[in-house]
DNA sequence: AAAAAAG
């Protein structure tokens, strides 16, 4: 019986007849759903003035049916193909407009007025009908970095909440404090006119000693937070799950990986299911390696939908990747100093990723000693400091941020044009192996929403050389080499090629 | 002796 069900709707590149117009590569046009934080462009410009149709690509209405039928999704230039696999016989029609989704007028207003969205991005067009159509099936959804995943599940949560029921109905779990806060901000902005209440469930400020006693029970209709706090709130019976309709895991592959938050996540899922078997589970991430993919497909309901992207098509063309050979640690620091920091604010904002807190502190000290202004974030800082550093960076008060992998996933700051892998991401157990998923997430911090971006990978050891080779092979890319770290010209050429100068 | 979350 089980075998009969799965229908494969392969959404391979189709396009065909539409979109002969040139695509808006240059213009800063808001075509995609996930454009959070576009508020304070200092001295904002005409920007979004015209509500003309911006994307010339008309997303056709189409139906994913339970048959071996090939569905054609029109191709976004930055977003190649998504494979949709639906289960059962529920037909889904991809949403060309937000109106197609039967959203409340208040929610639509939030999308257009607050978020300034115009039409669903591709992943939104495909996934939202799957999320919002009854019977509400579980969903595993993969999509490119910066393609609007957040909007998918935020919109899903907001529109499945019954505004009249003043109890928790949607829960979203994220791997970090920062991501929880960011997602809540998106939700509150999008849901501004809905009157739906929401709350962040992350550790309280460290000043608050007796935090387990001081936290009141949660009444908010949507809750977003980190696993430990959520788990504790549930066990203390301060977070009721009886009315829970949607459970979202952001960065789901990490949330369900054994070296991630697998135990916590499973426990939360099971505790909810015990009380409430109807809760829909949504799993979102840009990455799902084979192991995790197999695992997550076992833990969701049998009758689930899925969306996947081939790994070769995951790295965005709008972000140019480079490697730079640096013979030693000092050289890496000098390269950052002379090739990046000296260019100042012309580049937009920069994130420098390192592998350890120690490495972060070392680099921070080195650059500060050289007289440059950088800030640094990692998990050993107090919550207040972390919040402050992130806020300063998001407000554009700081230009260069050194970070561990706290911010590797999900962190959304559109002004980040440049990402530097000061340390290449490697697997903990096998340091000679690249950590492909982390690599992809890190470089996804640049070039949000089709913007231009560049990545410099610092290659120091023989091991690093091999790691870059493996990364190329895995993603099918050809990361270009910047010939000399000491050549201003070489860097300028690279940055120009990336569209940053 | 990793990142992160929490206890």
């Amino acid at each position: 019986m089980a075998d009969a069900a799965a229908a494969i709707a392969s959404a391979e590149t189709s396009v065909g007849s539409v979109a002969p117009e040139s695509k808006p590569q240059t213009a800063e046009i808001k075509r995609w759903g996930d454009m959070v934080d576009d508020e304070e462009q200092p001295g904002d410009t005409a920007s979004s003035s015209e509500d003309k149709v911006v994307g010339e690509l008309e997303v056709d209405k189409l139906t994913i049916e339970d048959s071996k039928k090939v569905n054609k999704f029109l191709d976004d230039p930055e977003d190649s193909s998504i494979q949709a696999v639906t289960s059962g016989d529920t037909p889904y029609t991809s949403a060309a407009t937000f109106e197609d989704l039967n959203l409340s007028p208040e929610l639509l207003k939030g999308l257009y007025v607050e978020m300034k969205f115009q039409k669903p991005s591709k992943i939104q067009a495909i996934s939202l009908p799957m999320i919002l159509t009854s019977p509400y099936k579980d969903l595993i959804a993969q999509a490119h970095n910066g393609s609007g995943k957040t909007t998918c599940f935020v919109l899903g949560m907001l529109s499945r909440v019954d505004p009249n029921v003043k109890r928790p109905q949607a829960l979203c779990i994220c791997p970090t404090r920062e991501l929880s806060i960011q997602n809540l901000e998106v939700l509150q902005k999008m849901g501004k006119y809905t009157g739906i209440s929401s709350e962040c469930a992350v550790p309280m400020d460290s000043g608050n000693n007796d935090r387990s006693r001081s936290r009141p029970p949660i009444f908010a209709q949507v809750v977003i937070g980190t696993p430990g706090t959520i788990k504790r709130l549930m066990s203390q019976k301060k977070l009721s799950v009886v009315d829970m309709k949607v459970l979202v895991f952001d960065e789901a592959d990490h949330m369900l990986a054994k070296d991630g938050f697998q135990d916590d996540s499973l426990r939360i899922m099971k505790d909810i299911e015990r009380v409430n078997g109807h809760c829909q589970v949504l799993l979102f991430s840009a990455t799902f390696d084979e192991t995790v993919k197999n695992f997550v497909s076992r833990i969701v309901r049998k009758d689930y939908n899925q969306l996947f992207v081939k790994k070769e098509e995951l790295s965005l063309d709008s972000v140019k990747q480079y490697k730079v050979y640096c013979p030693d640690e000092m050289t890496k620091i000098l390269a950052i100093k002379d090739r990046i920091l000296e260019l100042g604010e012309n580049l937009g904002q920069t994130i420098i990723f390192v592998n350890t807190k120690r490495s972060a502190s070392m680099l921070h000290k080195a650059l500060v000693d050289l007289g440059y202004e950088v800030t640094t974030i990692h998990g050993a800082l107090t919550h207040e400091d972390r919040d402050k550093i992130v806020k300063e960076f998001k407000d554009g008060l700081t230009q260069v941020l050194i970070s561990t992998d706290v911010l590797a996933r999900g962190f959304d700051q559109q002004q980040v044009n440049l990402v530097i892998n000061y340390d290449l991401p490697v697997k903990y157990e096998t340091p000679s192996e690249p950590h492909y998923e982390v690599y992809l997430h890190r470089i996804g911090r640049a070039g949000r929403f089709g913007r231009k971006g560049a990545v410099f990978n610092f290659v120091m050891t023989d091991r690093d050389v091999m790691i870059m080779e493996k990364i190329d092979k895995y993603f099918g890319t050809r990361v270009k080499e910047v010939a000399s770290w000491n050549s201003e010209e070489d860097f300028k050429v690279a940055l120009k090629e990336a569209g940053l100068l």
Side-chain angles (χ1 to χ4, degrees), chain A residues 270-447:
Chain A
K270 282 174 182 158
D271 284 354
I272 293 177
E273 198 169 30
R274 197 179 309 126
V275 179
N276 178 343
H278 311 298
C279 190
Q280 178 186 32
V281 177
L282 307 177
L283 307 176
F284 278 87
S285 181
T287 52
F288 286 96
D289 74 28
E290 286 308 312
T291 314
V292 179
K293 201 194 276 192
N294 287 329
F295 179 74
V296 297
S297 62
R298 292 209 316 272
I299 60 150
V300 292
R301 284 191 190 73
K302 289 178 195 66
D303 197 20
Y304 67 98
N305 297 319
Q306 42 187 320
L307 302 171
F308 283 110
V309 180
K310 283 191 236 150
K311 64 178 188 297
E312 289 82 4
E313 299 180 357
L314 265 177
S315 47
L316 303 173
D317 292 337
S318 59
V319 178
K320 293 274 178 284
Q321 302 175 55
Y322 300 97
K323 54 187 172 186
V324 187
Y325 292 99
C326 298
D328 50 39
E329 206 77 31
M330 179 197 72
T331 312
K332 291 204 281 187
I333 293 169
L334 291 178
I336 287 181
K337 168 181 170 290
D338 293 332
R339 302 292 153 253
I340 310 296
L341 300 182
E342 279 300 321
L343 291 172
E345 309 200 351
N346 301 331
L347 287 177
Q349 288 177 299
T350 299
I351 300 181
I352 305 173
F353 281 108
V354 295
N355 285 351
T356 65
K357 287 178 275 204
R358 262 190 38 226
S359 184
S361 305
M362 180 278 294
L363 181 59
H364 179 95
K365 184 179 185 317
L367 293 176
V368 168
D369 286 350
L370 287 169
Y372 293 88
E373 219 177 311
V374 297
T375 55
T376 299
I377 185 168
H378 54 70
L381 304 182
T382 66
H383 298 314
E384 292 87 339
D385 284 346
R386 286 169 62 165
D387 292 349
K388 178 162 161 272
I389 302 282
V390 166
K391 184 170 191 310
E392 284 173 352
F393 192 69
K394 285 206 170 189
D395 288 346
L397 300 176
T398 49
Q399 287 297 308
V400 178
L401 179 61
I402 300 168
S403 176
T404 58
D405 285 327
V406 210
L407 296 190
R409 287 172 173 263
F411 181 73
D412 185 48
Q413 168 70 348
Q414 290 179 40
Q415 282 70 26
V416 174
N417 292 328
L418 189 56
V419 163
I420 295 172
N421 281 322
Y422 184 90
D423 302 319
L424 299 179
V426 294
K427 292 199 172 117
Y428 177 57
E429 354 35 285
T430 49
S432 57
E433 280 290 303
H435 200 309
Y436 302 108
E437 288 73 34
V438 170
Y439 180 80
L440 194 87
H441 284 281
R442 282 183 180 183
I443 70 174
R445 297 318 99 210

Side-chain angles (χ1 to χ4, degrees), chain A residues 109-146:
Chain A
K109 187 176 174 190
L111 286 167
Y112 292 129
V113 177
E114 289 297 311
M115 310 298 289
K116 302 195 172 63
F117 292 167
Q118 292 173 341
K119 69 183 188 71
S121 73
K122 182 163 165 182
I123 179 70
Q124 291 158 9
I126 306 170
S127 72
L128 284 168
M130 293 182 176
I131 296 172
L132 300 176
T133 305
S134 169
Y136 303 112
K137 296 177 184 175
D138 292 354
L139 172 68
I140 304 173
Q142 180 187 28
H144 301 77
N145 278 316

Side-chain angles (χ1 to χ4, degrees), chain A residues 7 11 13 51 119 135 177 189 192 355 366 405 421 459 501:
Chain A
T13 5
D51 276 6
K119 69 183 188 71
R177 170 191 185 79
K189 192 171 176 184
K192 181 170 172 187
N355 285 351
D405 285 327
N421 281 322
V459 177
L501 281 184

Side-chain angles (χ1 to χ4, degrees), chain A residues 253-263 291-292 295 429:
Chain A
D253 60 327
H254 187 238
M255 298 308 294
L256 288 159
K258 54 185 184 319
D259 64 342
F261 295 98
Q262 186 175 91
D263 294 345
T291 314
V292 179
F295 179 74
E429 354 35 285

